[in-house]
Amino acid sequence: MTQPSKLTAAAIQMHSGADLNENLAQAGYLVGEAARQGAELVALPEYFYLMPADERERVALAEDFGRGRIQQLLADLAREHGIWLLGGTVPLAGAEPGKMYNSSLLFDPSGACATRYDKMHLFGYDAGDMRYAEADTMSPGAAVATAATPWGPLRLSVCYDLRFPELYRQGPAPSLITAPAAFTHATGQAHWELLLCSRAVENLAFVIGAGQCGLHPGNKRTFGHSLIVDPWGEVLAYRADGPGVVLAELDLQRQAELRARLPALQHRRLAS
């Protein structure tokens, strides 16, 4: 089958709170809005289902892979709208007591889960008045995940993974990179766009960064600024604040031309 030359992609920005029902309803509405605007690939942000004051509340929602309310909603939305849907992150049960996997799941238009990625790099940050320690409630993933899509290989990643470029250099070279996130306002203001653009340029890939925004329970503030970047580092679309849809047309033919003109991926001398 010939690869399409264009892709309409959407990043969903959300202001999730501590009410699971409200968050899932907001996600469903925004995914529907993206589909109505023509999106073929839609990405929800990290923790779209819950941003609580107590991180352990997410662990209590952990589902077995392949079953559960959150996964069922994502499958239903993908099938209803006939889209590829990245479920931001979903809490999946793991072997460690009191911990979960923070997993990014990609659903195809039939509603089947095409790829699972368990977040490998767990965020740790201590600024005195604000502390994050994902390792307290999460188990790290152990494997890189690449999805075969109609538009080429898609490399799944989550938030803090953006600081580890080797994740994106594992074969096959991705045409698309997804990065659902809940970047803190402090780190996002300093590094969010820089990291997304860097991963795009060095991999000559499109990067879709779907983020959380606003003030959440526990006085946690996320940066927002969801955006889509092209392989040359150009920001195609972004949303600074507030829930909504970030939509862009990705020119895959131009990507192929850029990779032919600047074959940096073939010029590498160090193994991943």
Side-chain angles (χ1 to χ4, degrees), residues 203-204 231-232 252-267:
N203 294 289
L204 288 160
W232 207 241
L252 300 168
Q253 181 59 42
R254 180 169 182 267
Q255 179 183 43
E257 292 169 358
L258 289 170
R259 286 183 167 185
R261 189 184 311 159
L262 179 65
L265 298 175
Q266 282 71 54
H267 292 163

Side-chain angles (χ1 to χ4, degrees), residues 29 34 52 114 134 157 167 172 180 195 197 203 224 233 240 260:
Y29 171 77
E134 289 184 337
S157 65
L167 173 65
L195 289 168
C197 290
N203 294 289

Side-chain angles (χ1 to χ4, degrees), residues 143-199:
V144 175
T146 305
T149 76
W151 311 282
L154 183 153
R155 178 64 38 80
L156 285 76
S157 65
V158 177
C159 199
Y160 192 47
D161 283 330
L162 285 167
R163 296 184 184 274
F164 302 89
E166 61 272 18
L167 173 65
Y168 307 95
R169 285 303 179 103
Q170 308 299 309
S175 298
L176 307 164
I177 292 171
T178 49
F183 248 69
T184 69
H185 191 270
T187 58
Q189 195 169 39
H191 301 140
W192 168 245
E193 185 171 334
L194 172 66
L195 289 168
L196 289 168
C197 290
S198 296
R199 300 297 83 84

Side-chain angles (χ1 to χ4, degrees), residues 66-79:
R67 56 185 296 183
R69 179 183 177 186
I70 301 171
Q71 294 173 82
Q72 188 61 56
L73 171 70
L74 295 170
D76 291 344
L77 287 171
R79 184 171 54 252

Side-chain angles (χ1 to χ4, degrees), residues 9-225:
I12 302 296
Q13 184 158 284
M14 289 183 62
H15 177 211
S16 301
D19 188 309
L20 175 67
N21 292 330
E22 288 184 4
N23 297 331
L24 296 185
Q26 181 186 175
Y29 171 77
L30 289 171
V31 168
E33 279 297 297
R36 282 186 282 277
Q37 293 178 40
E40 302 162 273
L41 170 65
V42 179
L44 285 162
E46 186 178 26
Y47 306 139
F48 74 93
Y49 61 94
L50 201 71
M51 286 287 287
D54 186 343
E55 303 293 316
R56 291 171 294 185
E57 290 183 32
R58 292 198 193 100
V59 179
L61 293 175
E63 301 177 347
D64 291 331
F65 180 50
R67 56 185 296 183
R69 179 183 177 186
I70 301 171
Q71 294 173 82
Q72 188 61 56
L73 171 70
L74 295 170
D76 291 344
L77 287 171
R79 184 171 54 252
E80 175 187 351
H81 298 294
I83 58 173
W84 288 77
L85 177 61
L86 185 85
T89 60
V90 173
L92 293 184
E96 291 186 89
K99 295 188 178 184
M100 67 180 200
Y101 287 113
N102 189 22
S103 303
S104 192
L105 305 180
L106 181 66
F107 292 82
D108 69 21
S110 75
C113 182
T115 310
R116 167 182 174 175
Y117 168 68
D118 300 332
K119 185 178 182 181
M120 297 180 71
H121 302 100
L122 303 183
F123 182 52
Y125 180 74
D126 192 344
D129 61 336
M130 187 62 67
R131 177 181 179 273
Y132 294 85
E134 289 184 337
D136 288 350
T137 56
M138 299 176 193
S139 300
V144 175
T146 305
T149 76
W151 311 282
L154 183 153
R155 178 64 38 80
L156 285 76
S157 65
V158 177
C159 199
Y160 192 47
D161 283 330
L162 285 167
R163 296 184 184 274
F164 302 89
E166 61 272 18
L167 173 65
Y168 307 95
R169 285 303 179 103
Q170 308 299 309
S175 298
L176 307 164
I177 292 171
T178 49
F183 248 69
T184 69
H185 191 270
T187 58
Q189 195 169 39
H191 301 140
W192 168 245
E193 185 171 334
L194 172 66
L195 289 168
L196 289 168
C197 290
S198 296
R199 300 297 83 84
V201 169
E202 67 196 12
N203 294 289
L204 288 160
F206 291 97
V207 178
I208 302 167
Q212 290 281 351
C213 66
L215 191 64
H216 309 274
N219 203 35
K220 296 171 183 174
R221 187 181 177 195
T222 51
F223 186 57
H225 289 78

